[in-house]
Amino acid sequence: MRLRIGPAIFDIRSPFGGAIASLRHLYRDYPQGMPDEIYDFTVAALPTTPWRRWFRPSIRLQADFTVEEAVPVALRHALLAFEMGVNMQMALGYRRDIILHAASAARDDRAVVIVGDSGSGKSTLSALLSWSAGWRHCGDELALIGLAGDYSLTPYPRPIGLKNQSIPVMRERVSADRFGPRLEGTMKGTVQHLLPPVDAIQAMDRPARPALIVSPHFTAGASPEIRRMTQSEAYLRLSVASTNQLTLGEPGFDALIRLIRSVPAYDITYGTSEEGLQLVEKLWGDVE
Amino acid sequence: MALYVPVEAVRYEKLDDLSLVFHRLSGETHILSPEMEAIYEAIPAGGADAEQILFRLEAVHGLVEAEEGDPASALCLRLDQLTELGIVRHIS
């Protein structure tokens, strides 16, 4: 199947028909088909060995860009394998923008970029912003920042990968038909995908200009706190968060420097979802 | 007399409390400590020997001290490190 997420078209292949059908359903609001379009990346989910197609089915990824330490995944977690494969192509192979391991959301075509390690709360915060506060979801995993012009952010709004405690937080707020299947016992615990609002997917070709950078720190019971990062701190965080800065050379370095010089960055700590939203709204009010 | 000359194929950017040197040929970004930053900035575009660089450092920062040994040999060590990074050239 062919699938477009943001600016990239993926050619996705697998002999496991059920896995492809699940993917088609999860990505039902995204452009699919496009047999005549030139695609950017190939991602294939193949049986680990020929007999593992039928006996305790397990898949391995074969794609344009892979990492050696990739481990086989049980067929019941195929959606995760596809997601890993698709993200890996963007993180390692995409060259048109600098890529940050970050979530993002836009309001009036200006964006907040949410950087943080896995588990820091960036997916949940981006889900809350789009589903509870009217922001346009632009991505929960990778933020694509332009290398020239106004250094705008290109949306890459794939389904939001909710994990563990963040799943009930969003189940309270979003109707069940926007969720993918619940995947238990993955390497990250329980994972469930949440489809962004249809409007956000339909607007995925509309760029947004970064106006605010936040690094969330969700700790249950913590008091809300805002701390401005120095430019040096912001550079070090974003530099580590970038998956392709080295590959891009000077344009990547330049884009990162311009971003941290022109956009204020903050650490935000909060103990509840509502507090997290309030902190982002407060900072947004300040930059407007 | 050995001269130290800043390499042209670099881009030097100062942030609030960090100095970065992007090396165009290697694609690597080096972060300079405040000490290295002061030394790098004291090397004129046309090059200078260690004695001249030490003089410039003292003119800007006052008396230059070294944790071990004399300031001139400590400076040469740092200049050699900048040379190894490829952001300064050493012309004999």
Side-chain angles (χ1 to χ4, degrees):
Chain A
M1 68 176 282
R2 296 268 172 90
L3 169 68
R4 183 163 77 85
I5 311 171
I9 297 177
F10 300 90
D11 187 65
I12 297 178
R13 305 169 190 181
S14 179
F16 295 109
I20 292 288
S22 301
L23 197 67
R24 275 190 201 285
H25 184 67
L26 182 64
Y27 283 85
R28 59 190 178 274
D29 297 329
Y30 296 73
Q32 296 186 20
M34 303 167 288
D36 300 327
E37 295 271 355
I38 295 171
Y39 59 88
D40 297 277
F41 302 110
T42 304
V43 177
L46 304 174
T48 311
T49 56
W51 55 90
R52 293 299 283 272
R53 184 170 172 185
W54 293 280
F55 175 67
R56 287 171 53 207
S58 153
I59 55 183
R60 65 181 169 87
L61 280 177
Q62 191 177 71
D64 298 324
F65 297 88
T66 52
V67 290
E68 282 181 15
E69 60 267 30
V71 293
V73 175
L75 180 60
R76 67 180 191 283
H77 295 156
L79 283 176
L80 268 191
F82 284 127
E83 177 188 294
M84 277 186 330
V86 160
N87 283 342
M88 207 181 295
Q89 305 320 292
M90 293 299 285
L92 301 178
Y94 194 73
R95 301 274 194 275
R96 290 184 202 120
D97 297 303
I98 188 162
I99 295 195
L100 304 176
H101 181 215
S104 55
R107 180 180 278 168
D108 299 330
D109 294 338
R110 298 174 75 216
V112 56
V113 178
I114 305 164
V115 311
D117 296 334
S118 294
S120 62
K122 59 183 188 308
S123 288
T124 314
L125 186 56
S126 70
L128 287 164
L129 285 170
S130 61
W131 279 109
S132 296
W135 290 65
R136 173 159 67 95
H137 180 74
C138 294
D140 80 317
E141 184 78 11
L142 301 175
L144 284 52
I145 310 285
L147 296 174
D150 62 357
Y151 300 90
S152 58
L153 178 140
T154 298
Y156 178 68
R158 33 142 259 179
I160 302 160
L162 298 174
K163 295 168 219 78
N164 305 314
Q165 297 94 330
S166 62
I167 297 170
V169 171
M170 296 313 298
R171 289 302 293 250
E172 285 175 9
R173 293 169 163 82
V174 185
S175 65
D177 65 330
R178 300 303 288 171
F179 286 86
R182 194 176 161 92
L183 308 173
E184 310 270 4
T186 77
M187 282 182 293
K188 295 176 177 176
T190 302
V191 174
Q192 192 163 23
H193 291 100
L194 168 62
L195 275 169
V198 173
D199 291 356
I201 300 169
Q202 288 175 342
M204 68 184 179
D205 295 331
R206 206 167 84 220
R209 192 164 186 186
L212 175 67
I213 298 167
V214 296
S215 177
H217 305 274
F218 171 75
T219 308
S223 302
E225 196 178 307
I226 292 175
R227 191 185 71 84
R228 176 94 188 239
M229 282 187 224
T230 64
Q231 287 184 356
S232 305
E233 279 179 281
Y235 172 80
L236 292 174
R237 302 265 188 100
L238 295 189
S239 179
V240 169
S242 171
T243 62
N244 66 349
Q245 187 204 339
L246 280 179
T247 314
L248 293 172
E250 192 170 4
F253 177 76
D254 185 63
L256 215 50
I257 293 286
R258 281 180 186 259
L259 182 67
I260 56 126
R261 279 195 175 137
S262 58
V263 178
Y266 297 87
D267 278 308
I268 56 171
T269 304
Y270 49 93
T272 67
S273 303
E274 281 67 29
E275 287 169 356
L277 283 175
Q278 285 166 10
L279 293 182
V280 173
E281 294 288 359
K282 182 189 177 320
L283 290 170
W284 191 254
D286 293 345
V287 298
E288 270 193 319
Chain B
M1 183 66 72
L3 283 185
Y4 294 93
V5 184
V7 168
E8 286 177 6
V10 299
R11 167 126 168 233
Y12 183 53
E13 295 285 350
K14 287 183 79 161
L15 301 178
D16 40 20
D17 47 15
L18 207 61
S19 289
L20 306 169
V21 180
F22 178 79
H23 194 280
R24 292 191 176 101
L25 298 179
S26 68
E28 291 175 338
T29 303
H30 303 289
I31 298 173
L32 299 187
S33 66
E35 179 194 26
M36 290 294 238
E37 174 192 321
I39 294 170
Y40 183 71
E41 289 185 355
I43 307 172
D49 61 28
E51 195 179 327
Q52 290 166 327
I53 294 167
L54 185 61
F55 181 77
R56 289 169 71 105
L57 275 170
E58 286 181 334
V60 176
H61 300 282
L63 184 66
V64 174
E65 293 179 355
E67 283 181 10
E68 285 181 22
D70 64 296
S73 48
L75 174 64
C76 285
L77 195 66
R78 296 287 179 267
L79 287 167
D80 288 342
Q81 288 170 345
L82 288 171
T83 307
E84 278 176 31
L85 290 177
I87 57 181
V88 167
R89 264 186 313 134
H90 189 188
I91 304 172
S92 297

